[in-house]
Amino acid sequence: MTLQPRCEDVETAEGVALTVTGVAQVKIMTEKELLAVACEQFLGKSVQDIKNVVLQTLEGHLRSILGTLTVEQIYQDRDQFAKLVREVAAPDVGRMGIEILSFTIKDVYDKVDYLSSLGKTQTAVVQRDADIGVAEAERDAGIREAECKKEMLDVKFMADTKIADSKRAFELQKSAFSEEVNIKTAEAQLAYELQGAREQQKIRQEEIEIEVVQRKKQIAVEAQEILRTDKELIATVRCPAEAEAHRIQQIAEGEKVKQVLLAQAEAEKIRRIGEAEAAVIEAMGKAEAERMKLKAEAYQKYGDAAKMALVLEALPRIAAKISAPLTKVDEIVVLSGDNSKVTSEVNRLLAELPASVHALTGVDLSKIPLIKKATGAQV
């Protein structure tokens, strides 16, 4: 059953008369006990009578609740007002076997334009609050915009810094990677070159081995050729050459023996001549020594007479040596007008002769009587 409870000119807690219309959905409970209660209450009554009973009950609770609330509470929170009515009225109608399925406030109005005035005031307040809100919002928006710009700039700066750091790290990492790549490339290149060198060495070694094998084969062939040539030379040249060489060798050995014998004979001849000359020299030496010995004995025996003989024997040779320069003189001219003066000069020279001989030989001729007498007569 649908009911529309209505309370006209009911004063609220503030004394403002309101007219409130609600809509309620109710039904008879089907539980056995509650159904029995409903039968007891409404048996023999019509549906309209039942509606009137429930409607009056709801209107009574609605009126009582309106007296406890303000206009603002009723108007602004209709759901809470309806809930409150339903909670207060439900026990009463429940004891009659009736269940309230729903209850809502359909309309609220007054005859003194309180709600419209409230709306105008509220509208003005709302408009004011809206203007303030707009201004504050614009202010906050400006502040927020500035803050956002600042945050944006900060974020941008941080982002730029991070980008620069990232770029620097990237460049450093790139440089490190490039350096590592260059190192690896250089190592790879060096390894490649080393491997190439090893391969070239292996190839060269193989070539050398091939050359060695070829050389060995060539040597073997040359050895065979040498053997063949040797045999050919033996057959064509060596045997005649060996015979000729043997003949020449025999001739040379004979010549050698001849030269050796001639040399030995010549040496023997020279030795014998030397021995003979040595014997002659020895004999002459012995004869000279004997002569000198005999002469010495004679000198010792005869004394001054022997010495005088030696001096006299040597005087001609001394005179020859002294007068040797005079042999180149054709003539000597003595310029003097006095013949006695020339004689005196000759005598003076003769007188000085013993002194000269004594100085040369150590023999004093002045002690010899003959010379002493001659020199003395001259003096």
Side-chain angles (χ1 to χ4, degrees):
M1 293 176 287
T2 300
L3 304 176
Q4 292 183 357
R6 179 182 177 86
C7 296
E8 295 181 358
D9 300 329
V10 178
E11 293 183 356
T12 63
E14 295 174 345
V16 179
L18 293 178
T19 298
V20 178
T21 302
V23 177
Q25 300 292 333
V26 299
K27 74 180 188 70
I28 301 300
M29 294 183 181
T30 58
E31 287 81 356
K32 185 176 181 180
E33 294 179 357
L34 296 175
L35 183 58
V37 172
C39 291
E40 182 181 353
Q41 292 291 330
F42 302 111
L43 187 63
K45 293 182 180 181
S46 64
V47 174
Q48 187 61 42
D49 292 335
I50 297 171
K51 286 182 178 183
N52 291 332
V53 172
V54 176
L55 182 59
Q56 290 175 4
T57 303
L58 292 175
E59 287 177 352
H61 287 293
L62 180 59
R63 187 178 289 107
S64 62
I65 291 171
L66 284 172
T68 60
L69 299 175
T70 64
V71 177
E72 288 79 2
Q73 290 174 341
I74 296 169
Y75 184 77
Q76 293 177 359
D77 197 358
R78 294 185 181 187
D79 292 337
Q80 183 64 28
F81 174 52
K83 181 180 179 181
L84 184 60
V85 172
R86 186 171 57 252
E87 290 175 355
V88 173
D92 290 342
V93 296
R95 283 192 291 271
M96 294 183 292
I98 302 297
E99 179 183 2
I100 300 174
L101 298 177
S102 67
F103 181 84
T104 59
I105 301 300
K106 182 179 179 182
D107 189 18
V108 177
Y109 65 94
D110 67 292
K111 296 179 181 180
V112 294
D113 297 329
Y114 181 84
L115 291 175
S116 61
S117 299
L118 182 63
K120 290 178 182 180
T121 304
Q122 187 64 29
T123 301
V125 172
V126 170
Q127 185 65 36
R128 181 200 64 191
D129 293 340
D131 294 337
I132 294 172
V134 170
E136 291 178 352
E138 289 178 354
R139 180 200 63 190
D140 295 339
I143 294 172
R144 185 58 182 164
E145 183 179 1
E147 291 177 353
C148 289
K149 285 183 179 180
K150 181 178 178 299
E151 292 176 358
M152 180 189 72
L153 293 176
D154 293 338
V155 172
K156 185 176 182 300
F157 176 73
M158 293 177 65
D160 292 339
T161 303
K162 289 182 179 180
I163 290 171
D165 293 338
S166 299
K167 187 175 181 180
R168 181 175 60 84
F170 172 73
E171 293 296 333
L172 292 175
Q173 192 68 26
K174 183 179 179 181
S175 299
F177 287 160
S178 298
E179 182 179 0
E180 185 176 357
V181 168
N182 291 331
I183 292 172
K184 294 298 183 182
T185 303
E187 291 177 354
Q189 183 66 26
L190 180 60
Y192 174 75
E193 292 178 357
L194 290 176
Q195 187 64 29
R198 293 193 187 98
E199 294 298 328
Q200 290 294 330
Q201 186 177 5
K202 289 181 180 179
I203 293 171
R204 181 57 186 163
Q205 187 175 358
E206 294 293 334
E207 290 178 352
I208 291 173
E209 291 179 357
I210 292 171
E211 290 178 358
V212 169
V213 172
Q214 292 178 350
R215 185 60 181 165
K216 287 180 179 179
K217 291 182 179 180
Q218 185 177 359
I219 290 171
V221 172
E222 290 178 355
Q224 296 297 325
E225 182 65 22
I226 290 171
L227 290 176
R228 186 191 65 78
T229 306
D230 191 17
K231 290 179 180 180
E232 184 178 354
L233 289 173
I234 290 172
T236 59
V237 178
R238 185 175 178 182
C239 290
E242 287 180 354
E244 181 66 20
H246 183 68
R247 185 182 68 80
I248 294 171
Q249 184 179 2
Q250 293 298 323
I251 294 171
E253 289 179 356
E255 186 68 24
K256 178 182 177 182
V257 171
K258 177 182 177 181
Q259 293 295 329
V260 169
L261 293 175
L262 288 174
Q264 290 177 353
E266 184 68 21
E268 184 65 20
K269 173 185 175 182
I270 294 170
R271 186 180 65 80
R272 290 182 181 274
I273 291 171
E275 289 177 354
E277 290 179 351
V280 171
I281 293 170
E282 183 179 1
M284 291 176 65
K286 288 180 179 181
E288 182 67 21
E290 185 65 24
R291 186 179 69 81
M292 293 297 293
K293 180 180 179 183
L294 292 175
K295 188 182 287 187
E297 290 177 355
Y299 289 160
Q300 186 176 6
K301 183 177 179 180
Y302 293 104
D304 294 335
K307 292 179 181 180
M308 181 59 68
L310 287 174
V311 172
L312 293 176
E313 185 179 356
L315 282 176
R317 294 194 297 272
I318 295 171
K321 295 293 184 182
I322 293 172
S323 61
L326 297 176
T327 59
K328 298 179 181 180
V329 178
D330 293 335
E331 61 180 3
I332 297 174
V333 178
V334 178
L335 299 175
S336 176
D338 190 358
N339 292 331
S340 60
K341 190 174 183 180
V342 174
T343 303
S344 63
E345 287 294 329
V346 172
N347 290 332
R348 186 181 62 79
L349 290 173
L350 291 174
E352 292 176 357
L353 182 61
S356 299
V357 172
H358 184 268
L360 293 172
T361 63
V363 177
D364 190 3
L365 295 178
S366 63
K367 292 180 180 181
I368 300 172
L370 181 58
I371 296 175
K372 182 177 180 181
K373 180 177 180 181
T375 56
Q378 295 294 330
V379 173

